[in-house]
Amino acid sequence: MKLRVSSAVVIAAAAAALLVIRAAVGQGKHREQAADGPFRVVLSDPVTPLAQQAGKLYREHEYLSAMFNQLDKDGLVPVSTELLRVQDQQQFPVERLLVVCKKR
């Protein structure tokens, strides 16, 4: 229960931080502070939904697999994920995966 509460707090803080960062002039001014601690928050490119084949329990999403494999290579261990629905530059809704990671 305690882990769920702390995960929810980290997700809420990350989502709030994302909004603040978007509102800021540029991300560059936060770069030094971001490198100080063990946590990294990453946001995927828009996630394209996949068609599901009948009779299959799951289908691999190659883009997300590649993303998580790259996080592993970079020494980042995901501790929480959240699917965010945001608007792209043309104001169309897109889904992005917010991943809170901890450095090994």
Side-chain angles (χ1 to χ4, degrees):
M1 182 69 179
K2 196 174 191 180
L3 180 61
R4 284 186 182 183
V5 171
S6 61
S7 293
V9 169
V10 170
I11 289 172
L18 177 65
L19 293 175
V20 169
I21 289 171
R22 281 186 106 191
V25 176
Q27 257 188 301
K29 70 180 194 177
H30 299 287
R31 195 171 315 251
E32 188 176 312
Q33 292 171 323
D36 284 346
F39 287 96
R40 299 294 181 267
V41 179
V42 298
L43 191 62
S44 74
D45 284 342
V47 177
T48 307
L50 300 174
Q52 188 66 28
Q53 296 177 351
K56 298 279 186 170
L57 296 177
Y58 68 91
R59 179 170 176 204
E60 181 180 5
H61 196 294
E62 289 85 3
Y63 165 72
L64 292 177
S65 292
M67 178 181 152
F68 278 89
N69 287 334
Q70 185 62 49
L71 290 172
D72 183 62
K73 287 177 187 173
D74 293 342
L76 299 173
V77 179
V79 294
S80 180
T81 60
E82 181 78 22
L83 193 58
L84 299 177
R85 190 175 181 103
V86 297
Q87 292 184 348
D88 66 7
Q89 292 178 355
Q90 290 83 26
Q91 299 301 312
F92 294 111
V94 295
E95 292 178 332
R96 293 177 179 260
L97 189 62
L98 176 83
V99 184
V100 178
C101 302
K102 192 166 186 178
K103 285 182 74 173
R104 277 188 248 161

